[in-house]
Amino acid sequence: MKKFKYALLGKRALVLCVLLWSAVHFSFFIPHSSFLIPHFSLLYAQDVQQGKASYYAQKFHGRLTASGERLHRDSMTCAHRYYPFGTLLKVYNPANGRSVLVRVTDRGPYVRGRIIDLSWRAAKELDIISKGVAMVVVQKASNIIVPFLPDDEIELPELEMETNEGDTGMKPLWQLIAEEADRKKAASSKTTKK
């Protein structure tokens, strides 16, 4: 009887492990919001990734991405398997020292060894158009420094805001039309009374 209990427990544990593994492994197919729904595949996302990058061909211009946005060849966007939509990633090309900031809008690539698919413009900035595929380093851009942002708070002068009444003889056009209509009405009523 004990052997049967342990065998049944082992089968249940095995089924549970398989279900958990498939939920984690295939959860990138499920569209999600980075703030509302926690995503299991974020367990795979590392701080720094190194691998091959490719880029979208011209024929994908205007097509819908997994996030619902349309792909534009000149936008600075990318496809990544695990990072939530809207995440900013810094992509560095060690061959020439160039780097770009891209936003995740799609899922992929699904080719072994490739870690990111870049838009055409981002690939051009990294100078990988002629190669097609290049080794890059990808990391999440958590602390983005905005250049030329003043550190000190600027004190604005206090301004007194007043309205200008203008000349008392000046009236809006609608008021002049209404007064003219009242005068005509009064004149016509005097002529009808006589």
Side-chain angles (χ1 to χ4, degrees):
M1 188 71 170
K2 286 184 179 181
K3 286 184 179 181
F4 179 73
K5 275 186 178 179
Y6 291 128
L8 187 62
L9 255 171
K11 287 181 184 179
R12 286 182 184 168
L14 180 64
V15 169
L16 184 63
C17 288
V18 168
L19 287 175
L20 183 61
W21 178 83
S22 62
V24 170
H25 190 71
F26 296 109
S27 63
F28 59 83
F29 288 116
I30 303 169
H32 66 283
S33 171
S34 59
F35 300 109
L36 302 177
I37 301 170
H39 200 260
F40 291 114
S41 63
L42 291 178
L43 299 172
Y44 287 122
Q46 303 165 356
D47 289 339
V48 178
Q49 294 176 317
Q50 185 172 358
K52 295 178 182 174
S54 57
Y55 63 93
Y56 286 100
Q58 300 280 356
K59 68 179 182 180
F60 294 108
H61 176 72
R63 292 193 187 175
L64 283 177
T65 60
S67 65
E69 293 182 33
R70 293 216 176 263
L71 177 69
H72 194 280
R73 59 176 242 141
D74 290 331
S75 63
M76 299 297 279
T77 58
C78 70
H80 197 277
R81 290 186 198 176
Y82 312 121
Y83 282 112
F85 297 133
T87 305
L88 290 176
L89 300 177
K90 182 180 179 182
V91 183
Y92 172 71
N93 185 355
N96 57 15
R98 294 185 180 186
S99 64
V100 293
L101 274 176
V102 290
R103 187 170 46 91
V104 178
T105 59
D106 203 2
R107 291 287 168 237
Y110 299 112
V111 178
R112 178 171 282 182
R114 296 188 191 174
I115 60 171
I116 194 165
D117 265 342
L118 301 167
S119 65
W120 185 86
R121 176 64 184 218
K124 185 176 180 182
E125 293 290 326
L126 290 174
D127 196 25
I128 64 172
I129 295 287
S130 60
K131 296 177 184 175
V133 177
M135 290 297 292
V136 294
V137 177
V138 177
Q139 63 182 356
K140 186 176 177 181
S142 56
N143 298 327
I144 299 172
I145 299 170
V146 179
F148 308 115
L149 184 66
D151 294 334
D152 302 330
E153 288 187 25
I154 300 172
E155 292 184 25
L156 298 175
E158 292 186 24
L159 302 174
E160 293 181 18
M161 304 298 279
E162 296 180 7
T163 58
N164 186 359
E165 295 296 326
D167 188 14
T168 55
M170 294 181 65
K171 295 182 180 177
L173 182 62
W174 65 268
Q175 195 173 11
L176 293 174
I177 294 171
E179 287 176 0
E180 184 67 28
D182 289 341
R183 270 190 251 127
K184 285 182 182 180
K185 195 178 208 182
S188 66
S189 65
K190 284 184 185 178
T191 56
T192 56
K193 287 184 182 177
K194 291 183 181 179

